[in-house]
């Protein structure tokens, strides 16, 4: 007579926003640049198959390593800017807030904006999409479905 053992693996349920969650990411996600040179980074939105109608993208960068030369609200999936893109080279921050009228937007790589940086010093710089960023579902409730933030890491 043998003894049987059963292993049961129980995983916690995934948050509702995880299935089909949105992401904000930067491209290129990496690269090497020399001091004094400039390079352009694009900030993208993937709605995870959902229709969304508002975004708030907050990013940080090391101000001792990088300096914003110019953010651009020109070509963008965002149709109405709540406020024009803002940045602070002293604090190392970028902020984008905008909306898309109903029925919203459903995209895998919608351009939010582009930003040109100047390299100030040698080292590594991380362009980080902050936790305060949000992607709001076009559901009449403003449900935040941001589940992934894709940062950029640059060698200077």
């Amino acid at each position: 007579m043998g003894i049987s053992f059963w292993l049961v693996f129980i995983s916690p349920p995934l948050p509702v926003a995880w299935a089909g969650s949105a992401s904000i990411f930067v491209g290129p996600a990496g690269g090497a640049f020399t001091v004094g040179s400039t390079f352009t980074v694009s900030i993208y939105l993937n709605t995870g198959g959902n229709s969304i109608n508002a975004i708030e993208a907050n990013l940080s960068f090391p101000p001792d390593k990088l300096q914003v030369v110019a953010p651009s609200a020109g070509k963008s999936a965002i149709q109405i800017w709540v406020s024009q893109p803002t940045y602070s080279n002293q604090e190392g921050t970028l902020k984008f807030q905008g909306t898309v009228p109903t029925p919203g937007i459903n995209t895998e790589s919608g351009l939010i904006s582009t930003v040109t940086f100047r390299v100030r010093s040698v080292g590594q710089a991380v362009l980080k999409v902050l936790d305060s960023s949000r992607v709001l579902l076009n559901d009449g409730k403003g449900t935040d479905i941001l589940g992934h933030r894709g940062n950029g890491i640059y060698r200077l």
Side-chain angles (χ1 to χ4, degrees):
M1 188 172 212
I3 298 175
S4 296
F5 290 97
W6 292 88
L7 292 176
V8 177
F9 295 96
I10 300 173
S11 64
L14 293 174
V16 173
W18 188 255
S21 65
S23 59
I24 296 175
F25 58 99
V26 301
F33 305 96
T34 59
V35 173
S37 70
T38 61
F39 66 100
T40 300
V41 174
S42 296
I43 303 159
Y44 294 102
L45 167 68
N46 180 334
T47 63
N50 298 292
S51 183
I52 65 100
N53 66 355
I55 66 106
E56 178 177 349
N58 299 306
L59 295 93
S60 68
F61 61 92
D64 61 321
K65 304 272 188 258
L66 298 175
Q67 174 185 26
V68 173
V69 176
S72 169
K75 293 181 179 180
S76 177
I78 304 307
Q79 295 178 12
I80 301 168
W81 291 102
V82 174
S83 61
Q84 288 299 308
T86 59
Y87 67 93
S88 169
N89 280 322
Q90 288 77 24
E91 296 176 13
T93 58
L94 287 156
K95 184 173 189 169
F96 304 90
Q97 286 184 301
T99 64
V100 178
T102 297
I105 186 173
N106 183 338
T107 181
E108 290 183 7
S109 59
L111 179 66
I112 296 172
S113 186
T114 58
V115 180
T116 301
F117 288 100
R118 175 171 286 114
V119 179
R120 298 182 74 186
S121 65
V122 173
Q124 177 176 288
V126 177
L127 177 58
K128 182 176 182 180
V129 180
L130 300 174
D131 291 343
S132 59
S133 298
R134 301 180 304 156
V135 176
L136 304 182
L137 191 61
N138 189 24
D139 63 355
K141 300 174 188 173
T143 305
D144 184 4
I145 61 167
L146 182 59
H148 177 74
R149 294 157 195 82
N151 301 326
I153 302 173
Y154 309 102
R155 292 184 322 274
L156 313 172

